[in-house]
Amino acid sequence: ETDKVYVPLNNMGSAATGGAQGKAAQNHGSSSFGKLEVVNSNLCEEAAVGFEYGVSTEDPFTLAIWEAQFGDFYNNSQAIVDGYIVSGETKWSQQNGLVMLLPHGFDGGGPDHSSCRLERHLMLSNDPLDGHAHDGFLPNVYVTYPSTPAQFFHLLRRQVKRNFRKPLIVAGPKTLLRLASAASSLSEMGPGTSFQPVLDDPTVADPRIVQRVMMVSGKLYYDLAKIKEEHPLGEHIAIVRVEELSPFPRDALYNALAKYTSASDFVWVQEEPRNAGAYSFVAPRIKQLLPKHVELRYVGRPEHAATCSGVETQQAAEHAQLTSEAFDGLHGLVADLVMDNINIQHNQQAATASSSSMKKSSSTILPASVQHRWSTRPIYAAQSSEQ
C-alpha cells in the first residue's frame, strides 16, 4: 500500500514491547534495538569495500559486513585490503572490524568463481610462524573457514562483543547453505557456548585405536566424513577440523591431536591446489606440534596455475581421486597397530613371568601410548582466539 520496505528483523522490538511503544523506541534511536540494513551494491568492489571499511572505522559498534557474490570478486578491492583493512592499525593505530564474507569452495562455479584466494589472506597475517608471541599479542586479521551454522553465528557475535576490533575474513561455501548435514541445534548457540577454533571428530568412540588423523578446513570435511562412515576401517580415522586459521590455534589443535596416542599418520587434506588454500600457511605450524620423527603428509590437488580446472568432468575426477587417496593405506596402518599390540602384550607377559614377586597383571589390548610421544612437543606461548 505504501511501497515502503518492511524488514521483519527491524520490527521485532515493536512485537516484544507492544506495538506503538516499541516502534516509538526504535524511531527515537533506542540503544536496546538494532537495525539491519541490506544494500545491493553495484559491481565496483574497490569502492564498495572502501566504503564499508570507512563505516567500520567510523562506528565500531556497527557490524559492517561486505559479502561478495563470489569469493574472487574481492580481487578488484585488493588495494583496499592490503593498504587499509589488514594494515591500517599498524600504520595509523586505527582499528576496524569489517567482516568480509567470501564464498569459497569447488562448488561447480568454474575456476574464476571457486576461490576467495584464501592463501592471499593468510599471507597478510602477522601470526608468528614459530608460535612465540609476546603477551597480549593479537593478529592483524582473523581468517576463518567455519563448517557449521553455530560456528558462523558465534563468529559474528564475537566480532561485536569484543572490546577491540579486528577485520574478519570468512570463507563460506555456498553448498553448505543447502547441505542437510551442515546443521546446528539451537543448544549449540545457547548460553555457555562460543566459537571453537578447532572441532574434534565427534564420531570417534575410542581414540586409542585411531591410526590416521586427517586435518581439514571447511566443507571438504563433509565429503570425508561420509566416506569414513561407510568405510570398514573408518573407526581408525579421526577427522579434525581447523575452523580458524589466523591466529593459528596451536593449543587447541595440539590438545585435539594429543588424544590420538597410537596415531602414526597425520595428513592435511584440502581441495585446493597445493600452491593455494591453507596448506602453505598451516604446514610449518602443524609440523611444530607433531612428535619427533612424525611427518605431515599432504593430500590434495597438485600445483596449478588456476584455482581449479575449467572442465567439470576433470574437476569431479580430481575430487574423487583426492578423497580416495585420503583413505589409501589404511589396512597397512591397522596391521601395524595389531603387531604393536601383540609385541606389547608379549613384553608385558614376559615381564610378569620373570618377576615372581609381582602379581600377574592383566595386559591391555591397546597401548595407552608408546612412551607418549607427545611429551617431546615444544611449549608455545598460549594464545586464545577468544581474546
Side-chain angles (χ1 to χ4, degrees):
E1 296 178 358
T2 62
D3 288 333
K4 290 184 178 180
V5 177
Y6 180 80
V7 182
L9 289 176
N10 289 339
N11 290 272
M12 293 177 64
S14 59
T17 22
Q21 181 181 358
K23 186 173 292 185
Q26 273 192 311
N27 294 335
H28 287 85
S30 173
S31 60
S32 60
F33 299 102
K35 179 184 178 182
L36 173 69
E37 183 177 9
V38 181
V39 178
N40 187 16
S41 62
N42 57 24
L43 293 179
C44 184
E45 290 80 11
E46 184 175 15
V49 174
F51 177 82
E52 298 300 340
Y53 168 77
V55 171
S56 68
T57 56
E58 179 68 21
D59 184 5
F61 296 103
T62 293
L63 180 61
I65 302 175
W66 181 75
E67 181 180 17
Q69 184 177 2
F70 292 99
D72 64 305
F73 280 26
Y74 104 95
N75 289 342
N76 294 330
S77 62
Q78 187 73 57
I80 301 296
V81 175
D82 291 358
Y84 296 87
I85 295 174
V86 301
S87 60
E89 183 176 2
T90 301
K91 294 190 286 189
W92 311 304
S93 298
Q94 187 175 48
Q95 293 187 353
N96 80 90
L98 178 63
V99 178
M100 297 181 69
L101 303 182
L102 306 178
H104 178 84
F106 291 18
D107 299 333
D112 292 323
H113 291 338
S114 294
S115 175
C116 71
R117 292 293 186 179
L118 196 59
E119 63 277 5
R120 290 183 185 172
H121 300 293
L122 293 173
M123 286 179 65
L124 296 172
S125 170
N126 65 350
D127 181 82
L129 179 61
D130 60 3
H132 296 290
H134 60 78
D135 292 339
F137 168 80
L138 294 173
N140 62 323
V141 61
Y142 284 73
V143 182
T144 62
Y145 199 171
S147 60
T148 70
Q151 289 282 83
F152 182 65
F153 165 78
H154 285 301
L155 275 175
L156 296 184
R157 184 177 185 274
R158 185 182 73 173
Q159 192 72 359
V160 292
K161 294 293 288 183
R162 287 170 159 173
N163 60 359
F164 62 88
R165 294 293 177 260
K166 295 285 183 178
L168 172 64
I169 309 295
V170 181
K174 292 188 176 184
T175 52
L176 292 190
L177 299 174
R178 310 184 288 273
L179 189 64
S181 55
S184 299
S185 64
L186 288 177
S187 62
E188 295 177 79
M189 294 172 263
T193 61
S194 62
F195 175 75
Q196 301 300 315
V198 173
L199 293 179
D200 203 354
D201 194 329
T203 66
V204 173
D206 188 353
R208 297 174 302 169
I209 66 172
V210 169
Q211 279 292 89
R212 175 175 294 167
V213 179
M214 298 181 188
M215 286 160 279
V216 65
S217 191
K219 75 181 187 69
L220 184 59
Y221 162 78
Y222 293 98
D223 295 331
L224 297 175
K226 183 178 180 180
I227 298 175
K228 175 192 170 180
E229 182 181 4
E230 300 170 352
H231 200 285
L233 297 177
E235 62 181 349
H236 298 283
I237 293 176
I239 306 176
V240 177
R241 283 172 279 180
V242 182
E243 302 274 289
E244 186 167 62
L245 298 164
S246 171
F248 188 70
R250 290 171 174 83
D251 293 321
L253 183 57
Y254 170 76
N255 291 334
L257 298 181
K259 291 169 51 179
Y260 305 110
T261 54
S262 299
S264 58
D265 191 24
F266 295 85
V267 189
W268 176 265
V269 189
Q270 66 176 34
E271 60 180 354
E272 301 90 347
R274 187 167 186 153
N275 60 327
Y279 176 69
S280 297
F281 182 84
V282 302
R285 292 167 170 81
I286 294 176
K287 290 176 182 177
Q288 295 169 356
L289 303 179
L290 298 179
K292 289 183 178 180
H293 312 300
V294 175
E295 295 295 326
L296 175 68
R297 290 198 303 115
Y298 168 81
V299 171
R301 287 174 169 84
E303 289 79 357
H304 205 273
T307 55
C308 71
S309 171
V311 181
E312 186 175 357
T313 54
Q314 181 180 347
Q315 181 175 322
E318 292 173 348
H319 184 80
Q321 179 181 349
L322 76 89
T323 52
S324 175
E325 183 183 348
F327 289 85
D328 284 349
L330 266 180
H331 289 86
L333 288 174
V334 174
D336 291 341
L337 176 63
V338 173
M339 290 303 300
D340 287 343
N341 292 334
I342 292 175
N343 291 334
I344 290 174
Q345 253 187 334
H346 176 75
N347 292 336
Q348 288 177 340
Q349 291 171 355
T352 301
S354 64
S355 178
S356 57
S357 61
M358 296 177 61
K359 293 182 180 180
K360 185 176 180 181
S361 60
S362 59
S363 58
T364 178
I365 297 178
L366 298 171
S369 171
V370 181
Q371 295 300 322
H372 207 293
R373 298 168 298 164
W374 293 90
S375 61
T376 60
R377 172 252 189 182
I379 303 300
Y380 294 96
Q383 295 183 39
S384 172
S385 65
E386 289 297 315
Q387 288 181 314

